[in-house]
Amino acid sequence: MNYGLTEDQQAVLSELERLIAGTAPDGHTEPEFAPYCEALDQELAQSGFLDIAREDGFGPLDAALVVECLARAPQIVEAAASALVGPALGLPVGLRPVALVEHDPLKPARFLPRAGVLLADLGDRVLQVTVDPDRVVPVDSLFAYPYGRLETLDGLETKDVADVATLRRRWRTALAAEAAGCMAGALALVVEHVKDRRAFGRPLGAFQAIQHRLAMAAETVESCKWLAFRAAWSDSEADAALAAAFAQKRIPQFAFDLHQFSGAMGLTLEFSLHLWTYRLRALSGELGGAAAQARQAALATWPEAAA
Amino acid sequence: MNDSIDRFRATARAWLEANVPAETAPRDGPEARAFTLRWQAKQAEGGWAGIAWPEDVGGRGLSVLEQIVWFEEYVRAGAPSVLSPSFVGLNHAGPTLIACGSPEQKARHLPEILRGEVLWCQGFSEPGSGSDLGSLRCRATVDGDELVVEGQKTWSSWADIGDWQELLVRSDPEARTSKALSWVIMPMDAPGITVRPIETMAGPATFSEVFYDDVRVSLDNVVGGLNNGWATAMSTLGFERGTAALALLIECVHQVDTLLADCSPRLPMLRARLAGLRAEGRSVLAMNYRFALESENAVPDASGSMIRLAFAEFAQKVSAAAVELYGIDAAQTLGERGWGYEYLHAFSETIAGGTAEIQRNIIGERVLGLPRPPR
Ligand SMILES: Cc1cc2nc3c(=O)[nH]c(=O)nc-3n(C[C@H](O)[C@H](O)[C@H](O)COP(=O)(O)OP(=O)(O)OC[C@H]3O[C@@H](n4cnc5c(N)ncnc54)[C@H](O)[C@@H]3O)c2cc1C
């Protein structure tokens, strides 16, 4: 794996950053609990960024770069599953947003209220459900995503897909890349905050207690990011599980620290930190959380010893 | 001694079993106010308000030990959380008035607090002054026998439903902090006060911004002396740090037992984590009991910061473990009553009432006697 971006990748990311900037909410809109950015979603659907893994000369690594970059933005859109999972399972171009759920297709899934398709990991196979938005019941959630669930599959178009391993592998990579981006977005906000806000006659960022933990947070962001990119590049089961496990394990401390240094302000909706930390929390619980991912990484790396 | 404590416990248990409200407490707004006052009034009628408060202000004048037993039974009975709109009156403003108030101020306010007739809120923090409380700028000017207040406070919990506020203002613009502030009893319906609730990521809007535009209040409402507000405010910080959180701690320790009971043996790592939390909870509880009992007849020492900090971090770990146990989409997690709310709310544990870093600074400097950092 080459650790520098190619010219093509740089071009893709700067164009993507332009799209993101163009749909950024202006500072004067009412603070919102769990906004979904329709404008960015539509731009993404039209521009083809989420199909990058399907294009000649590009692949899952490029998709992971796109996912990480999008997650740094405060705008919330479904991108990770569309960019990394959909293409690998052969979903037709444009069939999105993609909702993912484990075990039971009737469980609440994030993005389902807006999804075009639901992919349910049923253990031995994947059930692909074409979603009729009218059939989705919104579910209350505290995690800044639109959650929803289906009450029944009756009357919905479903299809079995055999390749459950691919779904899980790409799901793990997708969540690791999205988590890395959310962490980077959140950290950038808080670093600015502690430079600006003053206490005891100096900027908060001058206190070493704060510097040290933000330095640890920066290390978490970097390591999560490169593990996620590595998983996308190798597209291997072991790397994907490792990247997801690592990100999920780091999330709780990371989120607490960033809120801690933002003080009471960071708990209000007027300060946008929650837009990333809600997402991080939701991601940290996916696919059974860090311990399940770590076990999977061990199993993929040392299958005999684990058996 | 033990006999009388046992009797006290049995009576408390019986009363709580018969009287704890069946409905859950609303989190904010007028419903929260009505519910809290009703429950406090009921406790007062039953003789359970102000257990360790002096008798001359309507308390029972009992010992801290009895207060602890009451909290234990309170939690056991599943009574409404003490972190409610009555918290400031019972645990902060009340004790401050007991310590520093004039006889008139005590007589006027303390019985009302105990009887559940009024709610108090705290107006200390400002947009530019949180941890560095001494830098606060909300101004009060003496005009005849009145103070005129101008400025802003923020993050004032339940200010939108409060009757009175313990307000810290700068009454001498020149002097050093320790001689410049005043602690004032502010009626929340005074002309010129505007309250704007702030929404938080945990959902309910429980704290507010408060604006003071030419608000007049009698000098009789100053507690502990004009320009002596810093000492007045500090007189009860140790209390807040050490004792006020005891009921919350007992509740949190209980919750770990419930989580352990719900955690299947097929999740050995989570079980081990919860068992570790159980040990942690018991250790904090032991520290807290020691502190509360020892500070009965003495000014609480700085080690209250250790308890406050240990409890805050413990509570955060418990709610994070709960969300992990049940899953982010489970019924136990979602909704206003779910662990998801607790988890999000727990972020404030290490911020409100003195941040974790400030508590660590205090432990470093005042408990360990380490040198202060260069200024
Ligand atoms: C739920 C909740 C309820 C509240 N209720 C009330 C209320 O009723 N009334 C009221 O007056 N206030 C209330 N507050 C405000 C509370 O008192 C402040 O949030 C607190 O004092 C911290 O101030 P801040 O939020 O401005 O954080 P800041 O002071 O901006 O601190 C930000 C970060 O910098 C760190 N920091 C600051 N100084 C140092 C240092 N010297 N060394 C190392 N680190 C440092 C802090 O620890 C923190 O992590 C409430 C807050 C919350 C969260």
Side-chain angles (χ1 to χ4, degrees):
Chain A
M1 178 172 151
N2 180 342
Y3 289 85
L5 293 182
T6 65
E7 272 180 30
D8 282 347
Q9 287 168 336
Q10 278 170 19
V12 166
L13 292 184
S14 59
E15 180 57 20
L16 187 59
E17 277 162 6
R18 209 183 51 77
L19 267 195
I20 293 171
T23 59
D26 75 54
H28 300 290
T29 47
E30 277 292 294
E32 251 191 292
F33 195 49
Y36 188 86
C37 189
E38 291 297 347
L40 182 56
D41 187 281
Q42 276 167 24
E43 294 266 11
L44 285 172
Q46 281 158 19
S47 60
F49 279 112
L50 301 178
D51 297 312
I52 193 166
R54 304 173 197 255
E55 281 176 34
D56 267 358
F58 292 95
L61 174 58
D62 307 284
L65 289 170
V66 165
V67 168
E68 192 271 342
C69 177
L70 279 165
R72 271 185 260 149
Q75 295 103 306
I76 293 169
V77 288
E78 189 287 299
S82 286
L84 277 157
V85 181
L89 288 198
L91 290 187
V93 171
L95 184 54
R96 67 170 295 279
V98 181
L100 303 173
V101 70
E102 215 191 353
H103 303 314
D104 171 5
L106 303 183
K107 262 181 34 171
R110 68 179 169 128
F111 296 127
L112 196 60
R114 291 179 155 79
V117 62
L118 171 71
L119 297 174
D121 172 351
L122 300 187
D124 55 346
R125 71 208 147 91
V126 180
L127 188 69
Q128 177 183 329
V129 184
T130 308
V131 177
D132 171 356
D134 293 340
R135 298 273 304 271
V136 178
V137 186
V139 172
D140 211 19
S141 128
L142 278 171
F143 297 105
Y145 284 107
Y147 271 78
R149 65 184 171 79
L150 294 167
E151 281 184 320
T152 157
L153 297 179
D154 289 349
L156 291 174
E157 193 188 318
T158 64
K159 180 176 139 187
D160 277 347
V161 182
D163 194 0
V164 68
T166 296
L167 171 76
R168 288 192 196 155
R169 184 177 73 250
R170 287 295 185 88
W171 186 345
R172 292 192 170 105
T173 302
L175 91 78
E178 189 176 356
C182 284
M183 288 177 175
L187 181 61
L189 179 78
V190 173
V191 166
E192 281 314 304
H193 177 74
V194 301
K195 284 189 205 161
D196 283 353
R197 188 168 172 81
R198 299 175 70 86
F200 306 100
R202 66 192 79 174
L204 290 175
F207 292 111
Q208 291 194 337
I210 293 181
Q211 287 181 357
H212 288 181
R213 266 156 74 204
L214 287 182
M216 284 155 69
E219 185 264 324
T220 289
V221 173
E222 277 299 290
S223 47
C224 285
K225 182 170 88 177
W226 291 109
L227 264 186
F229 289 164
R230 190 193 152 82
W233 170 78
S234 74
D235 210 7
S236 89
E237 179 60 41
D239 282 349
L242 210 62
F246 187 77
Q248 288 184 319
K249 186 156 176 47
R250 289 288 175 102
I251 285 171
Q253 188 64 47
F254 181 89
F256 269 129
D257 280 358
L258 263 55
H259 273 288
Q260 183 63 21
F261 300 136
S262 310
M265 197 181 287
L267 304 177
T268 69
L269 296 189
E270 285 154 44
F271 192 74
S272 52
L273 182 57
H274 67 279
L275 294 179
W276 290 284
T277 52
Y278 276 132
R279 281 190 265 177
L280 284 168
R281 182 63 221 182
L283 289 168
S284 80
E286 275 191 7
L287 284 166
Q293 261 51 258
R295 280 198 297 274
Q296 185 55 36
L299 197 64
T301 315
W302 301 283
E304 280 161 66
Chain B
M1 165 79 180
N2 278 345
D3 271 2
S4 84
I5 283 294
D6 288 346
R7 267 200 310 281
F8 180 84
R9 186 184 292 281
T11 340
R13 185 171 296 185
W15 187 86
L16 283 160
E17 272 167 12
N19 289 287
V20 163
E23 68 274 33
T24 42
R27 290 214 196 270
D28 61 356
E31 299 81 23
R33 176 184 165 90
F35 180 93
T36 305
L37 291 178
R38 224 180 311 125
W39 172 229
Q40 181 61 28
K42 196 168 197 177
Q43 291 173 85
E45 280 161 31
W48 299 104
I51 288 170
W53 282 23
E55 282 171 283
D56 59 357
V57 299
R60 285 186 58 182
L62 298 176
S63 70
V64 169
L65 186 58
E66 272 123 342
Q67 180 66 66
I68 290 175
V69 169
W70 168 253
F71 282 152
E72 286 175 348
E73 292 305 318
Y74 189 94
V75 171
R76 184 179 182 277
S81 170
V82 301
L83 192 58
S84 77
S86 60
F87 188 86
V88 170
L90 291 170
N91 297 293
H92 205 269
T96 305
L97 289 171
I98 292 173
C100 308
S102 68
E104 296 73 31
Q105 288 166 340
K106 290 184 192 183
R108 166 79 183 78
H109 293 287
L110 293 172
E112 272 188 358
I113 293 175
L114 285 187
R115 289 196 305 258
E117 290 163 8
V118 291
L119 293 177
W120 279 66
C121 59
Q122 183 191 53
F124 283 13
S125 306
E126 297 180 8
S129 308
S131 301
D132 186 8
L133 185 59
S135 69
L136 66 85
R137 300 195 344 220
C138 185
R139 197 159 39 100
T141 325
V142 179
D143 181 18
D145 54 4
E146 286 183 326
L147 273 179
V148 185
V149 180
E150 276 291 333
Q152 182 189 347
K153 293 287 170 180
T154 193
W155 311 312
S156 182
S157 300
W158 292 295
D160 56 331
I161 54 172
D163 302 280
W164 300 93
Q165 186 178 50
E166 44 168 0
L167 178 66
L168 206 54
V169 289
R170 184 165 298 276
S171 41
D172 182 338
E174 309 296 334
R176 292 166 53 109
T177 293
S178 57
K179 293 272 161 264
L181 308 183
S182 294
W183 196 108
V184 181
I185 303 172
M186 177 59 85
M188 289 303 283
D189 59 359
I193 291 188
T194 311
V195 179
R196 191 181 73 86
I198 309 172
E199 282 190 84
T200 75
M201 67 171 190
T206 56
F207 59 28
S208 299
E209 287 180 297
V210 186
F211 300 89
Y212 311 81
D213 179 16
D214 202 18
V215 180
R216 292 182 168 265
V217 59
S218 163
L219 274 175
D220 292 341
N221 283 19
V222 174
V223 175
L226 193 67
N227 299 335
N228 193 35
W230 188 255
T232 308
M234 294 304 132
S235 70
T236 44
L237 269 190
F239 181 84
E240 189 193 2
R241 284 175 186 161
T243 318
L246 188 53
L248 300 172
L249 173 59
I250 296 172
E251 190 178 341
C252 201
V253 170
H254 256 255
Q255 284 168 334
V256 176
D257 289 352
T258 313
L259 296 178
L260 260 173
D262 282 358
C263 184
S264 144
R266 282 177 301 126
L267 298 169
M269 285 159 85
L270 196 50
R271 258 167 89 85
R273 193 166 126 202
L274 286 168
L277 280 177
R278 187 164 195 265
E280 186 173 327
R282 305 266 146 176
S283 75
V284 188
L285 201 54
M287 281 201 287
N288 203 334
Y289 281 165
R290 193 279 306 163
F291 180 86
L293 290 169
E294 263 182 26
S295 44
E296 177 151 32
N297 299 312
V299 178
D301 63 29
S303 69
S305 283
M306 242 189 259
I307 294 156
R308 175 74 191 97
L309 178 63
F311 165 65
E313 294 188 337
F314 170 64
Q316 288 179 338
K317 289 182 215 163
V318 170
S319 60
V323 172
E324 195 161 322
L325 169 65
Y326 297 116
I328 56 167
D329 49 14
Q332 292 95 329
T333 304
L334 294 171
E336 225 202 285
R337 296 287 137 202
W339 275 104
Y341 170 84
E342 296 298 339
Y343 168 74
L344 292 173
H345 183 75
F347 279 89
S348 67
E349 288 290 356
T350 45
I351 296 173
T355 69
E357 288 69 34
I358 297 299
Q359 310 287 7
R360 287 201 165 90
N361 288 348
I362 294 173
I363 296 166
E365 289 169 22
R366 294 206 226 135
V367 180
L368 300 180
L370 294 172
R372 308 186 72 179
R375 300 256 152 190

